[in-house]
mmCIF file of all heavy atoms in Angstrom:
data_model
loop_
_atom_site.group_PDB
_atom_site.id
_atom_site.type_symbol
_atom_site.label_atom_id
_atom_site.label_comp_id
_atom_site.label_asym_id
_atom_site.label_seq_id
_atom_site.Cartn_x
_atom_site.Cartn_y
_atom_site.Cartn_z
ATOM 1 N N THR A 26 88.667 168.715 66.521
ATOM 2 C CA THR A 26 88.120 168.242 65.246
ATOM 3 C C THR A 26 87.497 166.868 65.438
ATOM 4 O O THR A 26 87.725 166.192 66.443
ATOM 5 C CB THR A 26 89.222 168.141 64.172
ATOM 6 O OG1 THR A 26 90.146 167.137 64.581
ATOM 7 C CG2 THR A 26 89.922 169.474 63.965
ATOM 8 N N TYR A 27 86.737 166.440 64.479
ATOM 9 C CA TYR A 27 86.110 165.128 64.507
ATOM 10 C C TYR A 27 87.175 164.037 64.602
ATOM 11 O O TYR A 27 87.031 163.089 65.371
ATOM 12 C CB TYR A 27 85.256 164.941 63.242
ATOM 13 C CG TYR A 27 84.530 163.626 63.196
ATOM 14 C CD1 TYR A 27 83.383 163.425 63.955
ATOM 15 C CD2 TYR A 27 84.999 162.583 62.403
ATOM 16 C CE1 TYR A 27 82.718 162.216 63.926
ATOM 17 C CE2 TYR A 27 84.331 161.371 62.369
ATOM 18 C CZ TYR A 27 83.189 161.189 63.125
ATOM 19 O OH TYR A 27 82.537 159.992 63.100
ATOM 20 N N GLU A 28 88.251 164.193 63.854
ATOM 21 C CA GLU A 28 89.331 163.212 63.864
ATOM 22 C C GLU A 28 90.004 163.147 65.238
ATOM 23 O O GLU A 28 90.355 162.076 65.727
ATOM 24 C CB GLU A 28 90.375 163.524 62.783
ATOM 25 C CG GLU A 28 89.906 163.291 61.372
ATOM 26 C CD GLU A 28 88.999 164.420 60.837
ATOM 27 O OE1 GLU A 28 89.009 165.546 61.412
ATOM 28 O OE2 GLU A 28 88.283 164.161 59.868
ATOM 29 N N GLU A 29 90.181 164.312 65.869
ATOM 30 C CA GLU A 29 90.780 164.343 67.206
ATOM 31 C C GLU A 29 89.869 163.649 68.221
ATOM 32 O O GLU A 29 90.338 162.914 69.092
ATOM 33 C CB GLU A 29 91.050 165.782 67.643
ATOM 34 C CG GLU A 29 92.172 166.457 66.870
ATOM 35 C CD GLU A 29 92.274 167.945 67.151
ATOM 36 O OE1 GLU A 29 91.259 168.573 67.482
ATOM 37 O OE2 GLU A 29 93.405 168.465 67.014
ATOM 38 N N LEU A 30 88.563 163.873 68.089
ATOM 39 C CA LEU A 30 87.616 163.209 68.972
ATOM 40 C C LEU A 30 87.623 161.699 68.755
ATOM 41 O O LEU A 30 87.589 160.929 69.720
ATOM 42 C CB LEU A 30 86.208 163.774 68.773
ATOM 43 C CG LEU A 30 85.987 165.214 69.253
ATOM 44 C CD1 LEU A 30 84.610 165.690 68.831
ATOM 45 C CD2 LEU A 30 86.167 165.322 70.747
ATOM 46 N N GLU A 31 87.672 161.267 67.513
ATOM 47 C CA GLU A 31 87.742 159.833 67.213
ATOM 48 C C GLU A 31 88.998 159.215 67.813
ATOM 49 O O GLU A 31 88.952 158.138 68.386
ATOM 50 C CB GLU A 31 87.728 159.596 65.701
ATOM 51 C CG GLU A 31 86.374 159.621 65.078
ATOM 52 C CD GLU A 31 86.424 159.177 63.619
ATOM 53 O OE1 GLU A 31 87.426 159.452 62.922
ATOM 54 O OE2 GLU A 31 85.451 158.548 63.190
ATOM 55 N N GLN A 32 90.124 159.917 67.674
ATOM 56 C CA GLN A 32 91.383 159.425 68.222
ATOM 57 C C GLN A 32 91.292 159.312 69.739
ATOM 58 O O GLN A 32 91.724 158.323 70.330
ATOM 59 C CB GLN A 32 92.545 160.345 67.825
ATOM 60 C CG GLN A 32 93.885 159.911 68.365
ATOM 61 C CD GLN A 32 94.297 158.528 67.897
ATOM 62 O OE1 GLN A 32 93.989 158.116 66.780
ATOM 63 N NE2 GLN A 32 94.992 157.803 68.757
ATOM 64 N N ARG A 33 90.699 160.308 70.384
ATOM 65 C CA ARG A 33 90.571 160.282 71.848
ATOM 66 C C ARG A 33 89.667 159.128 72.295
ATOM 67 O O ARG A 33 89.940 158.465 73.301
ATOM 68 C CB ARG A 33 90.022 161.619 72.354
ATOM 69 C CG ARG A 33 89.951 161.716 73.840
ATOM 70 C CD ARG A 33 91.334 161.630 74.477
ATOM 71 N NE ARG A 33 91.207 161.675 75.927
ATOM 72 C CZ ARG A 33 91.896 160.940 76.756
ATOM 73 N NH1 ARG A 33 92.815 160.111 76.301
ATOM 74 N NH2 ARG A 33 91.707 161.038 78.055
ATOM 75 N N ILE A 34 88.607 158.878 71.545
ATOM 76 C CA ILE A 34 87.715 157.761 71.858
ATOM 77 C C ILE A 34 88.467 156.440 71.768
ATOM 78 O O ILE A 34 88.344 155.574 72.633
ATOM 79 C CB ILE A 34 86.478 157.771 70.933
ATOM 80 C CG1 ILE A 34 85.570 158.942 71.301
ATOM 81 C CG2 ILE A 34 85.723 156.454 71.015
ATOM 82 C CD1 ILE A 34 84.456 159.202 70.304
ATOM 83 N N LYS A 35 89.292 156.284 70.731
ATOM 84 C CA LYS A 35 90.098 155.071 70.591
ATOM 85 C C LYS A 35 91.040 154.907 71.780
ATOM 86 O O LYS A 35 91.203 153.814 72.316
ATOM 87 C CB LYS A 35 90.897 155.104 69.288
ATOM 88 C CG LYS A 35 90.065 154.876 68.063
ATOM 89 C CD LYS A 35 90.925 154.947 66.808
ATOM 90 C CE LYS A 35 90.073 154.862 65.562
ATOM 91 N NZ LYS A 35 90.877 154.999 64.340
ATOM 92 N N GLU A 36 91.672 156.006 72.191
ATOM 93 C CA GLU A 36 92.591 155.961 73.333
ATOM 94 C C GLU A 36 91.858 155.553 74.613
ATOM 95 O O GLU A 36 92.351 154.739 75.394
ATOM 96 C CB GLU A 36 93.259 157.320 73.527
ATOM 97 C CG GLU A 36 94.230 157.699 72.432
ATOM 98 C CD GLU A 36 94.680 159.149 72.509
ATOM 99 O OE1 GLU A 36 94.229 159.888 73.427
ATOM 100 O OE2 GLU A 36 95.465 159.570 71.644
#
Side-chain angles (χ1 to χ4, degrees):
T26 65
Y27 182 77
E28 290 78 19
E29 290 170 332
L30 291 173
E31 278 188 326
Q32 179 60 34
R33 184 63 182 139
I34 289 169
K35 287 179 186 177
E36 291 169 0

